[in-house]
Amino acid sequence: MPLLISSSWPFTFFRTSPRRMPASAAGPLGSTPEDAKNPLEGHATRTYRVRQTARLDQIEPGSREVKWWVSIPDDELLEAAAAGRLRQPAVLEKQVRRMLRDPRAQALVDNFAGQWLMLRNLKSHHPVEGEFPNFDHALRLAFQKETELFFGSVVREDRSILDLLDANYTFVNERLARHYGMPYIYGSHFRRVTLNREERRGLLGQGSILTVTSYPNRTSPVLRGKWILENLLGTPPPPPPPDVPSLRDTDSSGRVLSMRERMAQHRANPVCSTCHALMDPLGLSMENFDAVGRWRTRGESNGPIDAAGALPGGMVTFQGVGGLRDSLLSRPDAFVTTVSEKLLAFALGRAPQFFDGPAVRGIVRTAARNDYRFSSVLMGIVTSAPFQMRQSAPRPAATAAAR
């Protein structure tokens, strides 16, 4: 079967000779309702656009699996697919684990992690030299390398996805260690080190994340809070309204305001308050990190930093980045669901839809029984209906009276 691979993101696979399931196989999750008013009969009707699906043939699941490689399937995978063995769970699991151990799985780090964690934004991020004179290109490269090595270790060692939040190790070279205040590390090569300081554990303590979620001249609780909502909790806030006023650095008397005071002043605007009530408490809990990820105890106003925070809704409060991390870990399903949805989108080349919800919940439930290990999430994805089935073009709308 011909297989064409798009070179653009997301990597899209186009196939020929689709085999479709009968229309009767499409249930409620295969239809998108659109409420309408029937002008002739004078009562509400519901229009359904039927979403047809079809099981992929033996070759195509293997083609989708090479998303981890961004490559064509190798001989072993093609032979297993051609012989029909990829339908056997044991064979499928063996192939998934083999592919994750292969050096070509680095593409999963470069492409998936690069976009999910916004690492690609580092290249275009330029902190103001006058504010951060010690930031240079070597540090920028070190930031990216640290996170790539860290994410890659979770994949290769088949660690729990929760380790992305709470691992007690990272990877540094001399330049990065000096920036983090870690002594006795020399040389340009990266090495794995055990963290003695809690604030550096996991992604929330890494310079790459902290830098791309800041402005060039200062931190941004808004950007950091938005990043947490979108990439860790899977609940992106609405887009901002037009003509949002900038933050005021000083009050009417000329006194320099702390970041918390500036955000409180901004939330006084009713137009801004709703969304900022979600983002600001999350971002303010990370204020001990400056705009290039250095630890600090005093902010822009030279006053002590108040790093109190809260999860959306305000019912769960905490102190600092450690409290934020513990609060996220106390609800592991939320974080693992977000990672699973983003991995599924990477594998399918499309954003998850409402009808993918049952599959994602099943992936997370199964992974929970295996300590949320990375391979268990990937196995859940490759055996899920969205991965194994093809969505075809919708049939013409069919209208039925809604009672």
Side-chain angles (χ1 to χ4, degrees):
M1 174 173 292
L3 174 67
L4 304 179
I5 303 178
S6 167
S7 60
S8 61
W9 169 260
F11 297 97
T12 306
F13 293 78
F14 301 91
R15 301 172 182 83
T16 61
S17 306
R19 295 207 309 269
R20 295 189 177 128
M21 293 174 62
S24 59
L29 289 178
S31 307
T32 303
E34 299 173 353
D35 289 328
K37 188 77 174 178
N38 188 326
L40 299 177
E41 300 183 18
H43 59 268
T45 63
R46 177 158 291 180
T47 301
Y48 289 90
R49 296 195 181 277
V50 179
R51 178 178 56 86
Q52 289 183 297
T53 59
R55 180 173 292 278
L56 301 179
D57 67 15
Q58 299 288 355
I59 300 294
E60 291 175 280
S63 300
R64 282 182 167 176
E65 284 177 43
V66 296
K67 286 289 189 65
W68 330 136
W69 286 351
V70 191
S71 174
I72 61 174
D74 63 4
D75 290 343
E76 181 175 341
L77 189 61
L78 283 173
E79 289 172 3
R85 294 196 301 272
L86 287 183
R87 298 289 183 209
Q88 302 172 19
V91 174
L92 186 59
E93 180 175 2
K94 177 183 176 182
Q95 291 299 324
V96 169
R97 291 183 181 277
R98 179 181 70 86
M99 294 178 72
L100 289 179
R101 291 193 302 268
D102 192 285
R104 284 171 287 184
Q106 179 64 29
L108 187 62
V109 176
D110 297 339
N111 294 290
F112 173 72
Q115 295 188 56
W116 170 41
L117 301 177
M118 297 170 55
L119 299 181
R120 295 179 177 182
N121 293 6
L122 274 171
K123 294 180 180 179
S124 58
H125 192 85
H126 299 282
V128 174
E129 186 176 356
E131 296 287 338
F132 308 102
N134 293 324
F135 186 90
D136 55 21
H137 187 58
L139 185 59
R140 186 200 315 275
L141 295 178
F143 279 167
Q144 180 163 348
K145 189 68 172 179
E146 175 195 20
T147 304
E148 289 175 346
L149 289 172
F150 176 69
F151 183 84
S153 72
V154 173
V155 174
R156 289 190 308 274
E157 298 169 22
D158 195 18
R159 302 178 70 93
S160 171
I161 282 180
L162 298 180
D163 281 1
L164 291 171
L165 294 178
D166 196 38
N168 66 344
Y169 69 91
T170 191
F171 297 83
V172 296
N173 63 358
E174 181 179 353
R175 179 68 184 88
L176 185 57
R178 186 168 68 250
H179 186 74
Y180 287 169
M182 298 179 179
Y184 313 121
I185 295 177
Y186 305 104
S188 60
H189 65 283
F190 279 77
R191 77 291 314 263
R192 183 170 178 155
V193 296
T194 300
L195 294 170
N196 297 319
R197 297 169 58 184
E198 181 181 322
E199 64 266 16
R200 290 294 175 189
R201 295 169 73 103
L203 293 171
L204 294 175
Q206 296 188 2
S208 60
I209 307 299
L210 297 164
T211 300
V212 298
T213 55
S214 297
Y215 288 121
N217 63 329
R218 63 168 175 84
T219 60
S220 172
V222 176
L223 293 181
R224 288 177 176 177
K226 181 175 181 286
W227 185 88
I228 292 168
L229 288 173
E230 288 183 342
N231 294 297
L232 304 187
L233 294 174
T235 54
D243 303 321
V244 176
S246 58
L247 297 181
R248 294 181 57 184
D249 296 341
T250 60
D251 62 12
S252 57
S253 66
R255 180 179 66 89
V256 177
L257 299 173
S258 70
M259 183 57 69
R260 185 172 291 272
E261 290 173 326
R262 298 179 199 182
M263 299 311 303
Q265 187 181 76
H266 192 67
R267 287 196 304 275
N269 185 340
V271 176
C272 304
S273 61
T274 302
C275 294
H276 281 274
L278 301 174
M279 296 182 289
D280 293 1
L282 295 169
L284 286 168
S285 71
M286 304 179 72
E287 270 298 287
N288 282 116
F289 292 111
D290 72 6
V292 293
R294 290 180 304 188
W295 184 258
R296 60 183 182 170
T297 57
R298 292 185 173 272
E300 288 84 353
S301 66
N302 201 35
I305 289 175
D306 178 4
L311 291 182
M315 298 298 291
V316 178
T317 60
F318 47 82
Q319 186 67 35
V321 67
L324 169 61
R325 185 184 301 109
D326 292 342
S327 297
L328 295 174
L329 290 171
S330 70
R331 294 160 178 78
D333 280 8
F335 175 61
V336 178
T337 295
T338 301
V339 178
S340 300
E341 287 178 342
K342 293 185 180 295
L343 279 168
L344 181 64
F346 180 80
L348 299 180
R350 64 166 175 81
Q353 304 296 320
F354 73 96
F355 46 77
D356 296 319
V360 172
R361 290 191 291 272
I363 291 167
V364 175
R365 283 196 302 269
T366 301
R369 295 194 289 267
N370 195 29
D371 194 30
Y372 299 110
R373 294 195 178 277
F374 197 89
S375 65
S376 65
V377 172
L378 283 193
M379 275 300 300
I381 289 173
V382 300
T383 57
S384 68
F387 189 91
Q388 293 286 332
M389 308 292 283
R390 174 199 295 109
Q391 179 180 336
S392 61
R395 297 174 60 200
T399 303
R403 300 186 184 275

